[in-house]
Every structure is written in C-alpha cells, then in structure tokens.
Amino acid sequence: MFGLSFLPFLNDNKHRPVPGPPLVLTYDQVEKLGAELDALRDRVVADLGAEDREYIYRIIKAQRGLEVAGRVLMYFPFVPPVWLAGVGSLALSKILDNMEIGHNVMHGQYDWMREPGLNSREFEWDNVCPGDQWKHSHNYMHHTYTNILGRDRDIGYGILRMDEGQKWNPYYLGNPVWATALMVFFEWGVMLHDLEAENVVQGKRKWHDVKPLVQGWWRKAGRQVLKDYVVFPALTGPFFVTTVVGNVGANLIRNVWAYSIIFCGHFPTGVQTFTEDETADETRGQWYVRQMLGSANIEGSALFHIMSGNLSHQIEHHLFPDLPAHRYPEMAPEVKALCEKYSLPYNTGGFFSQIGTVWRKIFTLALPPFLIRSESAPGVIVERQKSAA
C-alpha cells in the first residue's frame, strides 16, 4: 500500500494550468531526484573556497561604503539632489546588509569560513528584529515546514489570507490594507512574527511565553531607533530633522524592496501549499519536491540578483538554504534541467509579472469564497511510500 498526495501542476512560463492527466511520480523517481539534488549540493560544497570568501568580503566592503556615503551626504540637505543621493545610498546599504549579507550569513552560509564576524550564531543585522528570533521563525519554522498550512506561519504572516486553504472570515476583507501596512513596516512585521499575535489574542500564548521576545525587541529595536533617529541625526547638527526624514526614507525603501522580493518568491500564481497529512514522514526526496513546488524565482540581471540577496532564486534557496546564495545562479540551470527531466514545473518570471500575480491574489483572497472562482488544475501525484514488491 502507498499514500498519494495531490499537488497542483502549473505551466513553467505562463503560470497557468495545463491540460492533460496529472503527472505521477513514483517513490523511486522522487528518491532518485533527491539523490541528484544531493549530488549537486555535494559538488558545490566541495568547491567552496577563496572565491566565495572574496565575494562576501567585496559585498561587505560595498555595503559599508554605501552606508558611509549615505551618512555623509545627509549633511547636504540644502542641495536636494545630493541629499536624495544620500537617502538612496543608505537604502542600498540597508538592502545589502539585510538581504545579501544578514539573511545569508544567519542561514549559516559562511560558517565554514570560521570568521567571527560571519558566524551565524553571532551575527546581527541592521534591522529591528533580533537575529535569534528571526532564525527561529525563518530558519527553523519556515524552512522546515515550507508552505505547510497550519505549520508555516510565513503563509500570510498571521495577518493575511494568501491561500484558499485558509478559512475566510470578514477580517480578510482588509487583506490589501494589511498587506500594504506589512510592506511599509516590514522590518517591524518581521520583528513581531515570532509573537504569533493571533494566538495571543485567542489566549493560546501566555505572558511568560511572550516576555523573552519583548525583552529582545526592547534591546534590539531600541538600539536601531536610537541609531537611526537620534544619534546619526544629532551628528548632523542643524540638519537633524532632514536626517531623520532621510533615515525614514531609507528604511521605507528597504522595507518595500524586501517585502516585494520575498512575496515574489512565495506567493505568485503557481506556488503550492500542502497539508500536514500530505507531508507526514517525508523522505529527503519528498522534501525536495515540496520545496520545488512551493517556491518561485524572479528573472533579472546579476545586479538585481545581488540586491535581492539572490532570493530571486527562491527555488534554489529553499532547496539549499545553507549554501552561499551567490552560487544559486550557477546551480539554477541544473535545477531547472532536473525539473524538466521529471516533468516538474519551474516557476519563474519577471519581477513585474510575479509581483502582479501576488497582488492579484491578495485582492482576490480578500473576498468570500462564493465570490471567487477556485483555480483547479491537473496535479502531481507523489507516491508517498515504496510499493511492496
């Protein structure tokens, strides 16, 4: 006997359901796919070395240079183009710090270097969310239970309806409003993620569960607010107010960019969700298949990939979260070839195409189910257990 799970199957390029019978992947096929992905991972791990070390050092140098330039240019608010360049430079610095450095370092992607400043256990980023809390909600909860309804709290972040499997209630009529607020205040949303606010409201979490989180917020967010809105503005003397405004602008740009990249990787049309029953007792190969079906990529230039922290390769990131992200572009063709070999979708598209379907989903799922048309599609049937000989 063997169990079957039904997973929707969508077209690679246009993200639309394709006609025809569902794909059936046998247990042995899935395990063979897993072995091929393991082999790809092993080749990259064996090749890590000086090139990767020099890459992350170059990124850190660029990030620090952009921050210094941004802070200095804040001294010239009487020359608007210069001041705006300062805001932009500081925003780029924060984006690099959070995405290509912080996110990836805290995943342990550079632990092999044994460099204290790049150690995942010690690193802190330019963000109000404490690193240890982010590593729990993201590295553990999200990457372990990727797109499993009821387990992965990144599906809606506790405030949005992002999947038809989430039961609708009138609160979700505000979906577009809540999504916009999350985008604008994204670093604060990330900070509050581990709180599980909906469980606090329902009485499922007590103060003794929340108190350590609040203490962490007070320490980390307090330092961030002091740095961006008191210390650095004070250093510009008479330009205190314009520097505060500039720092707000830089944080806003970072928040909108990070939100957009992350949502493009998790919620465009074609990305799948799963039930706990479907994913019970997963093998390594089945876990890989879930990551491939539950993620999406964004196409762009080399600079675009760097500024996204290479989360534009979200499929590869979900498959190999602890490998240096700048390796994902070279791994992507092999991952796509494996998808083609096993007839699995490889969800990829341009930024505006992907973010457009995300916002369409946000607006559509705000409505009660009887007002929207459910997207049915042929599926991928996965043999969950090896058949008896």
Side-chain angles (χ1 to χ4, degrees):
M1 297 291 293
F2 57 87
L4 297 178
S5 68
F6 180 81
L7 308 175
F9 176 44
L10 293 137
N11 182 278
D12 181 4
N13 295 316
K14 295 184 178 180
H15 314 298
R16 293 290 185 270
V18 294
L23 168 71
V24 177
L25 284 180
T26 68
Y27 180 93
D28 288 336
Q29 284 179 310
V30 171
E31 294 313 294
K32 184 178 178 182
L33 170 61
E36 293 186 78
L37 288 168
D38 280 339
L40 172 58
R41 171 190 166 78
D42 290 344
R43 290 200 305 274
V44 174
V45 170
D47 191 51
L48 295 178
E51 179 184 345
D52 306 277
R53 181 178 288 105
E54 291 169 5
Y55 174 83
I56 192 62
Y57 285 151
R58 287 198 305 271
I59 295 296
I60 291 171
K61 183 178 180 180
Q63 181 270 323
R64 291 175 177 173
L66 286 167
E67 181 173 9
V68 170
R71 300 295 185 189
V72 170
L73 294 175
M74 293 286 184
Y75 283 86
F76 300 93
F78 46 86
V79 186
V82 173
W83 183 82
L84 288 172
V87 175
S89 182
L90 185 58
L92 291 174
S93 166
K94 288 175 176 287
I95 288 170
L96 280 177
D97 175 274
N98 281 194
M99 304 193 76
E100 184 68 338
I101 302 172
H103 171 274
N104 295 336
V105 168
M106 288 193 291
H107 260 298
Q109 295 180 7
Y110 295 95
D111 282 359
W112 57 271
M113 288 174 54
R114 301 183 184 278
E115 170 68 46
L118 294 172
N119 186 291
S120 62
R121 292 180 295 277
E122 301 173 7
F123 189 89
E124 274 294 349
W125 53 358
D126 186 339
N127 195 295
V128 296
C129 179
D132 60 336
Q133 294 185 27
W134 179 85
K135 283 181 283 189
H136 175 260
S137 62
H138 183 80
N139 288 11
Y140 175 65
M141 293 300 295
H142 174 57
H143 278 275
T144 302
Y145 305 109
T146 309
N147 281 29
I148 299 177
L149 288 165
R151 298 302 300 271
D152 182 5
R153 297 191 67 259
D154 278 27
I155 302 175
Y157 291 82
I159 61 172
L160 302 175
R161 185 171 186 245
M162 297 303 301
D163 187 85
E164 292 182 20
Q166 294 171 278
K167 185 178 180 180
W168 184 87
N169 66 63
Y171 162 84
Y172 289 122
L173 290 171
N175 229 29
V177 176
W178 318 144
T180 301
L182 179 61
M183 178 176 66
V184 171
F185 300 104
F186 192 59
E187 65 171 328
W188 296 92
V190 172
M191 183 192 79
L192 294 171
H193 196 27
D194 238 13
L195 174 63
E196 300 180 16
E198 70 277 17
N199 289 329
V200 173
V201 171
Q202 296 171 15
K204 296 178 181 179
R205 297 202 78 185
K206 305 302 181 184
W207 169 247
H208 63 79
D209 299 318
V210 173
K211 184 178 179 181
L213 299 178
V214 175
Q215 292 172 333
W217 301 341
W218 179 258
R219 290 191 297 269
K220 184 65 193 301
R223 288 196 298 269
Q224 288 295 124
V225 169
L226 188 67
K227 173 176 72 73
D228 275 345
Y229 305 128
V230 179
V231 175
F232 278 109
L235 291 175
T236 62
F239 309 126
F240 181 95
V241 173
T242 56
T243 302
V244 168
V245 172
N247 287 349
V248 169
N251 282 323
L252 175 61
I253 293 170
R254 181 270 317 279
N255 287 347
V256 171
W257 177 255
Y259 166 96
S260 299
I261 294 296
I262 291 167
F263 271 53
C264 277
H266 294 85
F267 303 121
T269 298
V271 168
Q272 308 306 312
T273 56
F274 315 89
T275 67
E276 292 188 63
D277 288 341
E278 285 175 327
T279 56
D281 301 318
E282 275 184 327
T283 65
R284 178 71 169 172
Q286 291 164 4
W287 181 87
Y288 274 139
V289 170
R290 173 159 58 89
Q291 306 309 314
M292 296 165 110
L293 295 175
S295 314
N297 284 5
I298 320 168
E299 297 164 2
S301 66
L303 180 59
F304 176 84
H305 294 317
I306 291 172
M307 297 309 297
S308 73
N310 278 287
L311 294 179
S312 47
H313 292 91
Q314 192 68 235
I315 296 171
E316 288 71 29
H317 175 58
H318 276 166
L319 292 172
F320 313 110
D322 60 346
L323 292 184
H326 78 102
R327 292 292 193 117
Y328 296 155
E330 69 184 64
M331 301 174 78
E334 292 193 54
V335 173
K336 185 174 182 180
L338 286 172
C339 286
E340 292 173 351
K341 177 179 178 179
Y342 291 92
S343 300
L344 289 167
Y346 187 83
N347 190 334
T348 185
F351 174 78
F352 292 106
S353 172
Q354 298 288 52
I355 198 65
T357 67
V358 168
W359 279 100
R360 184 175 66 192
K361 181 182 290 188
I362 288 169
F363 276 86
T364 300
L365 293 179
L367 302 173
F370 69 86
L371 290 179
I372 63 176
R373 179 183 299 173
S374 179
E375 290 189 3
S376 60
V380 176
I381 298 177
V382 177
E383 187 179 44
R384 306 301 297 183
Q385 299 176 17
K386 190 173 180 65
S387 300

